[in-house]
Every structure is written in C-alpha cells, then in structure tokens.
Amino acid sequence: FSLHATPGWANPVGHRKDPRSGDYPPLGHLPKKWAHYKGLYLQGDRVVLAYTVGKAQVLETPTLETSGSHRAVVRSFRIQRDGSKMTLVVMDLPEGADKVTPKGHQVTIGHGQDSSVSVQARQLPQGSEFHVADGQLLLTLGAARGSDEFSLAISRETGAGINGSTA
C-alpha cells in the first residue's frame, strides 16, 4: 500500500486539497492550523510520532506485526480530540483496484482475481466510517471530545487479523 506525497489528514474543516505549490511532490510545511509535526520519540523499540491536526494532539506508532506467514503494517493512534470530525487518509487505492468492500470495521480492496488488501480497524471511536474519494481510502472519525485510541492493520490477506483478531 502507499500514500502519495499529499496531506495524510484532511484540514480542520474537512478539505484535503494540498495548499502547497510547486513541483510534485509539493515542498514545504502544511499550514500550522492544518497540521504540525512536533517530533518523534522512542518508547522501547517503537517509534512514536507526535503531531497536531487542527487542535487535536496525535501520537502515532507504526509497527509491523507478524503471525505465521501473515504480516500487517499497523498504525496505532492516540488522539486527544477537540470535538471536531477528523478525516484520515488511510491509503491510495492500488492501481487496478476493481472492488472496495467495507464491512463494519474492515475494508477489503480487490486487486485482480487473486490479490487483495485488507484494512482492519481495532477499537474505532463511535461514529467512525470508512469511505472512498478521489482514489483514496479515508476514515472519518465522528465528532468527539477526549482521548481516543485505535489502530489500523493493513495487510495483503483477508479474514482473521494478527493474533486471530477481527474488527
């Protein structure tokens, strides 16, 4: 899976159009009111990225989980919410993706006859939903205040996730 050099979150009013100009990939920072990188931290053998999206404080930890031959990239989030809806760009749809099937907190993206990508959400905040726009898989978190913790497991296989978990 991939995500082109575009903003990974919609701005605080829900727009995703990149305001930066110049050659691709766009150069420079996003406006601080949109998103602001604060740094990275080590927690044991894990990296924690710290940034803001609007007024929300975000901690994100990317990891690789394996179980037998099953591998998944897992993005874990802890977000201190400000009451606004938030839209995360999960991934660009693979070229040739011919079917996107959301089912609860799991999305399967068909790519040819034998290949698919699965995105499984764990502990999504209430009111969250996956949707597709402009060739990207998006996750919108419903308006809420307080702290939310959830994760997304992205893999090439469908069905049971890492450690047998399902959404």
Side-chain angles (χ1 to χ4, degrees):
F1 75 95
S2 67
L3 181 60
H4 287 91
T6 59
W9 290 85
N11 70 15
V13 295
H15 297 278
R16 293 182 294 116
K17 184 174 176 13
D18 197 330
R20 301 170 292 181
S21 61
D23 294 333
Y24 181 83
L27 302 175
H29 303 285
L30 287 168
K32 278 191 176 184
K33 289 183 179 182
W34 183 327
H36 180 66
Y37 175 73
K38 298 183 104 176
L40 64 88
Y41 308 94
L42 291 177
Q43 183 177 14
D45 62 349
R46 294 180 182 226
V47 173
V48 179
L49 305 170
Y51 55 92
T52 60
V53 176
K55 294 179 182 175
Q57 303 288 323
V58 180
L59 297 175
E60 178 179 350
T61 303
T63 57
L64 177 66
E65 293 186 11
T66 59
S67 178
S69 64
H70 184 94
R71 292 178 300 177
V73 172
V74 178
R75 296 176 66 188
S76 298
F77 296 89
R78 177 180 293 165
I79 305 175
Q80 188 63 40
R81 306 278 304 278
D82 68 348
S84 302
K85 281 187 175 184
M86 297 178 72
T87 299
L88 169 68
V89 181
V90 177
M91 62 185 282
D92 293 326
L93 295 180
E95 191 171 317
D98 52 11
K99 189 175 182 183
V100 179
T101 309
K103 185 177 180 182
H105 289 174
Q106 179 172 333
V107 176
T108 303
I109 302 165
H111 182 247
Q113 201 165 17
D114 298 323
S115 178
S116 64
V117 174
S118 174
V119 179
Q120 290 186 25
R122 303 173 189 157
Q123 300 176 326
L124 274 183
Q126 188 171 2
S128 300
E129 65 178 5
F130 285 104
H131 52 104
V132 172
D134 302 321
Q136 294 180 314
L137 178 63
L138 308 173
L139 173 64
T140 297
L141 308 175
R145 288 194 178 278
S147 183
D148 284 324
E149 292 186 40
F150 66 94
S151 62
L152 302 174
I154 305 165
S155 67
R156 282 257 177 222
E157 301 165 325
T158 59
I162 298 297
N163 299 325
S165 65
T166 57

